[in-house]
Amino acid sequence: MTNVLIHGALGRMGRKVFEAATTDDGVKAVCGVDKVSDLSNPNFPIYDGFTGVTEKVDVIIDFSSPVCLDSILEYALKTSIPLVLCTTGYDDSDLAKIKDASNSIAIFRSANMSLGVNVLIDLVKKAVKSLDGFDIEIIEKHHNQKVDSPSGTALMLADAVKEELPEVNYVYGREGKVGKRTKTEVGIHAVRGGNIVGDHDVLFAGLNETVTLSHQAFDRSVFAVGAVKAAKYIATKKSGIFNMQDLVSEK
């Protein structure tokens, strides 16, 4: 049994992670941490900081905010507990801290915990190899409360393209007289509205034909289920950085 601490437990994703854990016989959500503590929560104890945690924890799952990274890393390093980082919006300084911490503890990090999205990444790489000369554009759509743009998933997809075509450069939207599209561009476009959970399209536009690879998430539970699978995967790892590609490749 893998005992999980959910950081951001009272947020939309934190609640979904708890639900996913209750349906997995190999995982138990033993406690949570949230800036709004709720010690009377009927499901499990929730603290307003790590100092209150007394439960035995095997893995921390984080769906919160980049501003919480320092406190999460401090606690994980002090206790040698592996991390599943599902938060997006990290800057270069944050990523450097995560990499440094991974020398001491195991860290599973992905901007998208959906197994389907990570299959999509593989398909994008194959399409890039096969569709030589096609223009590539990425369109992502999310709810109107999302604070970072473009989405971490869109950047994952763009990076998958760049792995196969190192010469490409990213263009974030277009406005005004930007000139003709260059062959090395990968356009990345963000749409925000309503309660869209997450839609991603990778468009390959060629001469007289187009190919579109798409993924739609209809409920946040797909990300929670992926996070729980990641927690079980990383529970026995000692150090290093892991991602969904590692989990998928082990199947």
Side-chain angles (χ1 to χ4, degrees):
M1 179 68 70
T2 301
N3 289 341
V4 169
L5 181 158
I6 304 173
H7 187 266
L10 295 176
R12 286 177 295 186
M13 281 310 308
R15 296 177 191 275
K16 289 290 186 181
V17 172
F18 178 82
E19 292 174 8
T22 61
T23 62
D24 192 311
D25 294 336
V27 174
K28 181 179 180 181
V30 294
C31 64
V33 171
D34 199 286
K35 62 182 179 181
V36 181
S37 63
D38 183 2
L39 300 179
S40 64
N41 186 290
N43 295 319
F44 63 164
I46 297 177
Y47 309 103
D48 61 2
F50 288 107
T51 55
V53 176
T54 58
E55 290 78 8
K56 177 185 179 297
V57 176
D58 298 313
V59 179
I60 300 167
I61 297 178
D62 171 54
F63 271 105
S64 59
S65 166
V67 300
C68 301
L69 179 64
D70 287 347
S71 63
I72 296 169
L73 290 178
E74 180 183 6
Y75 180 76
L77 288 168
K78 182 175 68 176
T79 55
S80 299
I81 297 176
L83 286 174
V84 178
L85 297 178
C86 312
T87 297
T88 61
Y90 292 124
D91 60 23
D92 290 342
S93 174
D94 294 329
L95 295 176
K97 293 176 185 177
I98 293 169
K99 183 177 181 181
D100 184 59
S102 72
N103 293 321
S104 302
I105 58 174
I107 298 179
F108 191 107
R109 189 182 80 84
S110 178
N112 191 303
M113 302 303 296
S114 159
L115 294 176
V117 161
N118 286 274
V119 171
L120 174 63
I121 289 171
D122 284 339
L123 294 175
V124 167
K125 292 179 182 179
K126 292 177 181 177
V128 171
K129 293 177 182 177
S130 300
L131 301 175
D132 183 47
F134 279 56
D135 297 326
I136 304 171
E137 300 279 310
I138 297 170
I139 305 97
E140 56 99 341
K141 305 171 188 175
H142 283 86
H143 53 88
N144 57 22
Q145 300 300 301
K146 186 169 178 61
V147 298
D148 57 312
S149 175
S151 69
T153 303
L155 293 175
M156 287 172 64
L157 294 167
D159 290 344
V161 174
K162 198 172 185 66
E163 281 186 37
E164 306 301 328
L165 297 174
E167 69 274 16
V168 301
N169 61 290
Y170 303 159
V171 176
Y172 301 100
R174 297 185 179 88
E175 181 182 7
K177 295 182 179 180
V178 297
K180 294 181 180 180
R181 187 189 196 282
T182 66
K183 298 305 292 184
T184 58
E185 290 182 18
V186 172
I188 304 176
H189 313 277
V191 176
R192 297 289 177 265
N195 64 344
I196 302 171
V197 174
D199 294 356
H200 292 86
D201 296 328
V202 183
L203 171 68
F204 295 83
L207 185 62
N208 299 321
E209 62 178 338
T210 62
V211 176
T212 302
L213 299 175
S214 301
H215 179 271
Q216 290 179 289
F218 299 105
D219 189 276
R220 290 180 175 81
S221 61
V222 299
F223 310 126
V225 169
V228 167
K229 290 181 183 295
K232 291 193 293 183
Y233 170 82
I234 204 173
T236 59
K237 303 292 190 290
K238 300 302 181 184
S239 63
I241 293 182
F242 305 86
N243 57 39
M244 292 298 286
Q245 297 298 301
D246 297 314
L247 192 156
V248 171
S249 65
E250 276 205 1
K251 287 181 173 286

